[in-house]
Every structure is written in C-alpha cells, then in structure tokens.
Amino acid sequence: MGPRSKHYDRLWAIETAAGPVHTSPNHYSAGDLVERHSHKRTQLLYARSGVVLVTTDQGRWMVPPEHALWIPPGVEHSVEMLGAVTMLSLYLDASAVPDLPAFVRVVSITGLARELIIEAVQPPSDDNSRERADLILPLLLNVVAKLPDISLGLPFPEDPRLAALCRRFIANPTPDLIIDKWARELSMSRRAFTRAFRRQTGLSLSVWRQQACLFAALPRLAAGEAVTTVALDLGYGSIPAFTTMFKRMLGTSPRSYLNSHSNH
C-alpha cells in the first residue's frame, strides 16, 4: 500500500470513527509529506519524537518534540516531517471537550498529558482494555484542554507582496533583517509598513523574525548539530546572542531544551 492510499485510509478512519475520541499513532521517515487535507474533528497532533512543520493558508506552525498542535475542524493543512517522526494524534468530536481551540496553536505537552496520550493510543490487549480506557479518557480530555500555549507559529501576511518577502526570509533567515529595507522595497513608509505587518500577522516584524530564525534552528538542533554551528549559520555574531533569542522564545537555553527532550 502506497503513502497516498495509507493517507486516505487514515482520513476515512477519522471521519467514520465512533465515539468522542479517535486515536492514531503513526511513524514517518524524514521528508515524508502528508498532503493538504482537513477533517471534521479537532486534532491534537503530538510530536512524540522528531520535528513537524504544519502549513495552512494562515501560516506555518512548527511542532518540536514533546509539543503538540491544535488543528480545528475544517482547516486545510499539510504536514511535513523534518526528520524521522513518531506522531500520536487525538481526534476529538465537538462533544468531547467544551470550547475546543478555534485557531491553530502550539502547546507544550506536560508529563501527565504525555503518559495519558501514550496509554490512550495503545491498541486493546485484553478484556480490561475497554474498562481502562473508560477510566483514562475523562482525565485525558481534562488535561489536554489545559495544555500551555507556546509561541511557535509563523503567520503569513495576506498581502502577496509582504508574504513574498516573508518566504524569501525563511529561505535565508538572519537576525539582521532591517524594517526600513523591506518598507522601501514595497514603497511604503516605515510606519505604514509596521502597521500593515502587525495587522496582518498579529506580530511585530521583530518577533516574527525571531520566530523564523527559531524555525530554522530547531530541526538542525534536533538532528544533533552543534549550537555554535547553527547560531553562526543563522548570522548570529555570538553564541550568547543566539541563546538570548532562544530563551526569549522557548524559556530555556538550547542545550537545556535539547537535553530535557532527549530524555523521553
């Protein structure tokens, strides 16, 4: 069975599943791409290992190891694997949890959530499996509804000219992006440019730039590249400058982040 057939089989299983929660554990190779699709249930896409990049019309969201992404029903999205990935997904019916997220957002997986998700996706092994699932499910739904948000989204502007500048930057990220230069390229004043960018993305260009650099760094760090190499390749003049940016975005240093996620 080819990748396309497996993809459609999974979609069929999701759309026809009974009950409030459908689970799906999957393993992918580096470079695998799940083509653009949507589903009628809300998805919690948990990256057990590896880095996942999800793309929608509204932007890109990076899901590093031990994080998850909420994808609301009906949102068209594709999923790219940046390295080998183990993905555990929950597909929740609207009746499962009140006030499920209405927007795509990244959340950090807590230790309790991790263990509950792993248990939930296990295939039934004995007569007690159903009873065990009935005990786990209410706690799982309560826990995942309260997972903490983390800023790993990279929204794209609606204006095609602004979006083109963003895509060009992603292809060659640098901490030295100059607002005035981008504004001149679009024949806009600095003030008009910054207002338009924030209005269309919800972020200042400075914060957007930092998140784009983080997007470029995480897959390389997760693949084992040295922090020094990644920082210099991204144009940072010093390791402390790169570490400061990383701490601001993820709340910890690159080494601490990687060490904490390599132990699971």
PDB file of all heavy atoms in Angstrom, residues 29 110 129 132 144 212 233 261:
ATOM      1  N   SER A  29       9.127   8.776   7.974  1.00  0.00           N
ATOM      2  CA  SER A  29      10.538   8.961   7.663  1.00  0.00           C
ATOM      3  C   SER A  29      10.811  10.435   7.383  1.00  0.00           C
ATOM      4  O   SER A  29       9.888  11.208   7.077  1.00  0.00           O
ATOM      5  CB  SER A  29      10.932   8.122   6.438  1.00  0.00           C
ATOM      6  OG  SER A  29      10.700   6.747   6.676  1.00  0.00           O
ATOM      7  N   THR A 110       2.682  18.333  28.855  1.00  0.00           N
ATOM      8  CA  THR A 110       3.104  18.080  30.233  1.00  0.00           C
ATOM      9  C   THR A 110       3.387  16.591  30.417  1.00  0.00           C
ATOM     10  O   THR A 110       2.993  15.757  29.593  1.00  0.00           O
ATOM     11  CB  THR A 110       2.008  18.515  31.220  1.00  0.00           C
ATOM     12  OG1 THR A 110       0.832  17.718  30.969  1.00  0.00           O
ATOM     13  CG2 THR A 110       1.667  19.987  31.045  1.00  0.00           C
ATOM     14  N   SER A 129      -9.119  -3.741  28.628  1.00  0.00           N
ATOM     15  CA  SER A 129      -8.693  -2.542  27.905  1.00  0.00           C
ATOM     16  C   SER A 129      -9.812  -1.512  27.817  1.00  0.00           C
ATOM     17  O   SER A 129      -9.584  -0.307  27.966  1.00  0.00           O
ATOM     18  CB  SER A 129      -8.209  -2.907  26.500  1.00  0.00           C
ATOM     19  OG  SER A 129      -7.037  -3.683  26.562  1.00  0.00           O
ATOM     20  N   ARG A 132     -10.298   0.112  31.164  1.00  0.00           N
ATOM     21  CA  ARG A 132      -9.165   1.003  31.432  1.00  0.00           C
ATOM     22  C   ARG A 132      -9.302   2.293  30.632  1.00  0.00           C
ATOM     23  O   ARG A 132      -9.066   3.383  31.150  1.00  0.00           O
ATOM     24  CB  ARG A 132      -7.859   0.286  31.087  1.00  0.00           C
ATOM     25  CG  ARG A 132      -6.599   1.053  31.445  1.00  0.00           C
ATOM     26  CD  ARG A 132      -5.366   0.194  31.168  1.00  0.00           C
ATOM     27  NE  ARG A 132      -4.149   0.899  31.454  1.00  0.00           N
ATOM     28  CZ  ARG A 132      -3.606   1.019  32.655  1.00  0.00           C
ATOM     29  NH1 ARG A 132      -4.215   0.471  33.689  1.00  0.00           N
ATOM     30  NH2 ARG A 132      -2.472   1.677  32.830  1.00  0.00           N
ATOM     31  N   VAL A 144      -5.669  17.666  28.439  1.00  0.00           N
ATOM     32  CA  VAL A 144      -5.261  18.272  27.167  1.00  0.00           C
ATOM     33  C   VAL A 144      -5.955  19.611  26.931  1.00  0.00           C
ATOM     34  O   VAL A 144      -5.427  20.469  26.221  1.00  0.00           O
ATOM     35  CB  VAL A 144      -5.509  17.323  25.969  1.00  0.00           C
ATOM     36  CG1 VAL A 144      -4.696  16.044  26.121  1.00  0.00           C
ATOM     37  CG2 VAL A 144      -6.988  17.028  25.774  1.00  0.00           C
ATOM     38  N   ALA A 212      11.042  33.059  13.009  1.00  0.00           N
ATOM     39  CA  ALA A 212      11.523  32.452  11.766  1.00  0.00           C
ATOM     40  C   ALA A 212      12.917  31.863  11.966  1.00  0.00           C
ATOM     41  O   ALA A 212      13.227  30.775  11.457  1.00  0.00           O
ATOM     42  CB  ALA A 212      11.526  33.491  10.644  1.00  0.00           C
ATOM     43  N   ASP A 233      25.605  29.957  11.427  1.00  0.00           N
ATOM     44  CA  ASP A 233      24.992  29.834  10.102  1.00  0.00           C
ATOM     45  C   ASP A 233      23.784  30.760   9.961  1.00  0.00           C
ATOM     46  O   ASP A 233      23.479  31.228   8.853  1.00  0.00           O
ATOM     47  CB  ASP A 233      24.556  28.391   9.837  1.00  0.00           C
ATOM     48  CG  ASP A 233      25.724  27.487   9.487  1.00  0.00           C
ATOM     49  OD1 ASP A 233      26.847  28.011   9.324  1.00  0.00           O
ATOM     50  OD2 ASP A 233      25.523  26.265   9.378  1.00  0.00           O
ATOM     51  N   HIS A 261      14.405  17.200  26.315  1.00  0.00           N
ATOM     52  CA  HIS A 261      13.525  16.481  25.394  1.00  0.00           C
ATOM     53  C   HIS A 261      14.169  15.191  24.859  1.00  0.00           C
ATOM     54  O   HIS A 261      13.478  14.384  24.242  1.00  0.00           O
ATOM     55  CB  HIS A 261      13.114  17.379  24.234  1.00  0.00           C
ATOM     56  CG  HIS A 261      12.178  18.471  24.660  1.00  0.00           C
ATOM     57  ND1 HIS A 261      12.613  19.688  25.107  1.00  0.00           N
ATOM     58  CD2 HIS A 261      10.833  18.493  24.752  1.00  0.00           C
ATOM     59  CE1 HIS A 261      11.582  20.437  25.434  1.00  0.00           C
ATOM     60  NE2 HIS A 261      10.495  19.742  25.251  1.00  0.00           N
TER      61      HIS A 261
END
